[in-house]
Amino acid sequence: MCGIVGFTGKQNAAPILLEGLKKLEYRGYDSAGITVEQDGVISVSKVSGRIANLCEKTEDGKTLPGFSGIGHTRWATHGAPTDANAHPHMSCDGRFSVVPNGIIENYMALREELTAKGYIFSSQTDTEVIVHLIEMYYHGDFKEAVMRATSRLTGSYALGVLCSDCPGKIMAVREARPFAAFGLLCGQRKWL
Ligand code: GLU
């Protein structure tokens, strides 16, 4: 079962996200990653394998400075446990980053729709559709884009979403996923 962490505050987020992910290791996972926002730019680092590999790759978070971020340990359901399939996933324009827990049942149809519209997929996961849907529905209102995107999803999931236009803000969503660690913070379809 995957784990999701988010942090926003006055300290560098990456070391705190890595510590948070370590606390969720007991849930089991096959890959790990974090994204951090700094000065309106979201940077990502992700690896298959252990969180120790991610700590090494990011020099314990030093290579990703910034005060807001989200992190993920993946339990693969759709797509092999590779670096490319690890989360977080990014929108094509680099404005959004998403960490999911769960399964998107109607992802095939959404993937076809988004591909036809020109969105480029970089993984085989079911959940990458979410970040491209958010980009498609974004017209300057982060919350509205997330709500419109999630209204298209069928399945059981929890999400953390970062937007480079909204420093310091993390959107959290839960839908029919009672055991999602992050989802416990936000309740049923409520918004932080
Ligand atoms: N279904 C997604 C995947 O296979 C997320 C799995 C998870 O909850 O970690 O990548």
Side-chain angles (χ1 to χ4, degrees), residues 65-147:
F67 298 152
S68 302
I70 50 179
H72 188 257
T73 45
R74 180 179 184 228
W75 182 288
T77 61
H78 295 68
T82 60
D83 288 358
N85 287 337
H87 299 76
H89 288 295
M90 299 286 298
S91 58
C92 296
D93 62 5
R95 186 177 269 136
F96 300 99
S97 173
V98 169
V99 284
N101 174 209
I103 291 174
I104 306 304
E105 290 161 6
N106 60 336
Y107 81 98
M108 270 299 203
L110 292 169
R111 188 171 173 128
E112 278 167 24
E113 175 188 328
L114 289 158
T115 301
K117 289 187 165 129
Y119 291 91
I120 309 290
F121 282 76
S122 57
S123 79
Q124 282 80 49
T125 68
D126 53 330
T127 45
E128 192 186 345
V129 295
I130 302 165
V131 77
H132 298 306
L133 281 172
I134 294 170
E135 179 183 341
M136 184 170 84
Y137 287 123
Y138 184 67
H139 304 290
D141 186 329
F142 180 24
K143 181 175 168 181
E144 186 200 358
V146 174
M147 289 180 80

Side-chain angles (χ1 to χ4, degrees), residues 6-22:
F7 174 82
T8 184
K10 292 185 166 44
Q11 295 162 264
N12 274 322
I16 294 165
L17 296 173
L18 292 169
E19 281 309 308
L21 290 180
K22 282 181 199 164

